[in-house]
Amino acid sequence: MVHSLRSYLLITCGGFIQGIGMALFLFPHSIPSGGAGGIAVLLNYWVNIPLSFALWLVNFSMLVAAIYWLGNASAIGTMYGITITSLSVHLFSFELYRPYNNVWIDLVIGSIILGVGVGILLRQGVSNGGMGVLALIIANVRDIAPGRPLFLLNGSIFIVTGSIIAWPIVIQALISQWLSTKMVDVIFRLRTMLLFEQPIQGWRKKSVKR
């Protein structure tokens, strides 16, 4: 029970941190934070759906894969993390005063914050939603850190987003993903930290059907 509560506390922190990176630094410039973020930006652009709800809706659709491949415990944790992230995006969706007005500064800051949040979530054996579910499945099957598959999966979403909204977004999104996935791998490999030693039970031992 202590380990479970500790895991959910870290999931709360990870989702909250991830939402801050999205809402304050990336979304104001329409920079997608990932596959789900890219689709959320497109839904907001096309039909003016609030970004927080669009993000939750896209992420919810990935739960079936999380339940089947990663187990119920991971799926519940993923849904909880997605909800915390969406609430964080909603709470921090306001104009932040900055002594500068530079998209590249926001991109770097937001990407690092995003990567820390996503890394905490993945280290607890839950996904940050969207393509993170698939990245976690690949990482589980191949026993690798999830940063690289997450980067490759999200790249396709960025190309679509950039072709519809603006091509510079593709470059910005790829740089953002490179920075954030580097942070994901750093956090994911911090196995010596006591707080990260107890992921939600069930996802690592679940056998993979071939």
Side-chain angles (χ1 to χ4, degrees), residues 107-135:
L107 184 150
V108 172
I109 296 173
S111 299
I112 292 173
I113 294 174
L114 174 69
V116 171
V118 174
I120 292 173
L121 293 174
L122 294 177
R123 189 63 190 89
Q124 292 306 302
V126 304
S127 168
N128 62 312
M131 297 299 103
V133 173
L134 300 181

Side-chain angles (χ1 to χ4, degrees), residues 115-193:
V116 171
V118 174
I120 292 173
L121 293 174
L122 294 177
R123 189 63 190 89
Q124 292 306 302
V126 304
S127 168
N128 62 312
M131 297 299 103
V133 173
L134 300 181
L136 193 56
I137 291 171
I138 294 171
N140 190 18
V141 171
R142 301 187 62 181
D143 193 25
I144 59 174
R148 184 175 181 181
L150 185 62
F151 176 81
L152 294 175
L153 289 167
N154 286 334
S156 60
I157 302 298
F158 298 154
I159 292 174
V160 174
T161 303
S163 65
I164 293 174
I165 298 179
W167 277 111
I169 291 178
V170 175
I171 304 301
Q172 293 166 352
L174 288 173
I175 294 173
S176 175
Q177 274 297 291
W178 184 82
L179 288 172
S180 63
T181 51
K182 288 296 182 182
M183 290 302 302
V184 166
D185 284 348
V186 168
I187 298 297
F188 191 81
R189 292 190 175 112
L190 292 180
R191 299 182 184 275
T192 58
M193 292 180 62

Side-chain angles (χ1 to χ4, degrees), residues 89-109:
V89 169
H90 178 72
L91 289 174
F92 288 95
S93 292
F94 56 81
E95 187 66 27
L96 179 68
Y97 169 75
R98 297 180 176 89
Y100 58 85
N101 185 21
N102 191 305
V103 61
W104 298 104
I105 294 177
D106 282 351
L107 184 150
V108 172
I109 296 173

Side-chain angles (χ1 to χ4, degrees), residues 11 14 17-20 31 34-35 45 58 64 76 119 121 124 128 138 146 175 185 190 207 210:
I11 292 170
I17 292 170
Q18 179 182 215
I20 290 175
I31 300 173
Y45 180 80
V58 173
V64 174
I76 293 171
L121 293 174
Q124 292 306 302
N128 62 312
I138 294 171
I175 294 173
D185 284 348
L190 292 180
S207 61
R210 300 181 184 274

